[in-house]
Amino acid sequence: MPLDVVTIDGPAGAGKSATSRALAKRLGFEYLNTGAMYRAIALRALRLRVDLTNASALAAVARAITLESIDGRTIMDGEDVTDAVRAPEISRVVRYPANAPEVRAILVEQQRRIGLSRAIVTEGRDQGTAVFPDARCKFYLDASAEERARRRLGELRARGEEAALDVILSQILERDRLDSERAVGPLCAPEDAVRVDSDGKTIEEVVDEMERVARAKLPHFTGRERPRA
Ligand code: DC
């Protein structure tokens, strides 16, 4: 059983990536971004002009790829695709691999293998429910849709792009719906997760809260139980 795994699930825009990365650094763990893995499959499928509605073809793509998505860099078959997988055209189509059960099975297996071999903070939608149900330290990081839309608008403005708040808000609500209604690996809070609401809090404040919980719960710090080799 993986003992040194911290899971962080939650909706898009709640601040999972920034907090996961910072928490991993504080704990001396590695950070696994599972959304980037689904994004990498979408990128390869687009490049190969694979029919995105063909789940078996997407699974073949997933099987043929070697992926590393550790500590903020996503490496696909040796190529650094960290920025490429964040492109808007990937965000538009990533639901196809994310909704394909065969693709999920392949990526879940890879994520478990990573969790068995190293101490990680892993973020996604299904990490504490489907992938690491036995993890000792689980978080569900949430924020209101309005707050998430305001943050997204701030990010776009910082890049010199303009957008309307109500349009962003409706996109966020649509992503929440797609994430929650997925038949396999839907977004939902694990029963045993500590819920953290990031509304009105800085990343620093959220990470402080999480670090306290993680240090109290993880065998790695309490020394109560050592992971098996
Ligand atoms: O967190 P993100 O925006 O990079 O995630 C990209 C997509 O992948 C999004 O549609 C949700 C999906 N996803 C998933 O289904 N399961 C995960 N563990 C992580 C992400």
Side-chain angles (χ1 to χ4, degrees), residues 12 16 33-36 38-39 86 94-95 98 104 111 123-127 175 179 182 185:
K16 293 189 301 296
N33 178 345
T34 62
Y38 290 94
R39 288 172 176 272
R86 306 292 327 162
V94 66
R95 68 175 178 276
R104 297 200 77 87
Q111 292 156 16
E123 63 136 314
R125 306 295 190 283
D126 58 348
Q127 298 300 289
R175 280 187 73 178
D179 274 351
R182 190 169 34 242

Side-chain angles (χ1 to χ4, degrees), residues 56-98:
S56 310
L58 290 175
V61 169
R63 255 180 243 111
I65 278 185
T66 305
L67 269 181
E68 269 271 326
S69 183
I70 289 283
D71 285 348
R73 306 240 53 95
T74 306
I75 311 293
M76 178 175 82
D77 289 334
E79 177 190 353
D80 188 332
V81 293
T82 310
D83 295 329
V85 299
R86 306 292 327 162
E89 61 265 32
I90 302 298
S91 301
R92 273 196 291 277
V93 301
V94 66
R95 68 175 178 276
Y96 294 103

Side-chain angles (χ1 to χ4, degrees), residues 150-163:
R150 277 192 297 275
R151 288 179 192 161
R152 179 82 190 121
L153 184 63
E155 283 165 19
L156 290 172
R157 287 198 172 141
R159 293 213 305 258
E161 293 169 37
E162 204 33 75

Side-chain angles (χ1 to χ4, degrees), residues 21-29 203-204 207-208 211 215:
R21 191 184 310 215
L23 180 64
K25 203 165 177 193
R26 292 217 200 153
L27 299 176
F29 284 16
I203 290 170
E204 183 88 1
V207 177
D208 284 348
E211 186 183 2
R215 287 188 184 274

Side-chain angles (χ1 to χ4, degrees), residues 104-172:
R104 297 200 77 87
I106 294 164
L107 294 190
V108 164
E109 156 79 28
Q110 290 183 10
Q111 292 156 16
R112 288 197 182 128
R113 224 177 308 128
I114 294 168
L116 280 173
S117 62
R118 35 196 165 175
I120 53 169
V121 175
T122 178
E123 63 136 314
R125 306 295 190 283
D126 58 348
Q127 298 300 289
T129 49
V131 185
F132 298 108
D134 297 328
R136 299 297 167 85
C137 182
K138 301 179 184 180
F139 294 103
Y140 188 79
L141 183 63
D142 212 349
S144 66
E146 291 72 21
E147 168 94 11
R148 291 184 282 134
R150 277 192 297 275
R151 288 179 192 161
R152 179 82 190 121
L153 184 63
E155 283 165 19
L156 290 172
R157 287 198 172 141
R159 293 213 305 258
E161 293 169 37
E162 204 33 75
L165 188 63
D166 57 342
V167 173
I168 297 177
L169 181 59
S170 63
Q171 286 168 348
I172 282 184

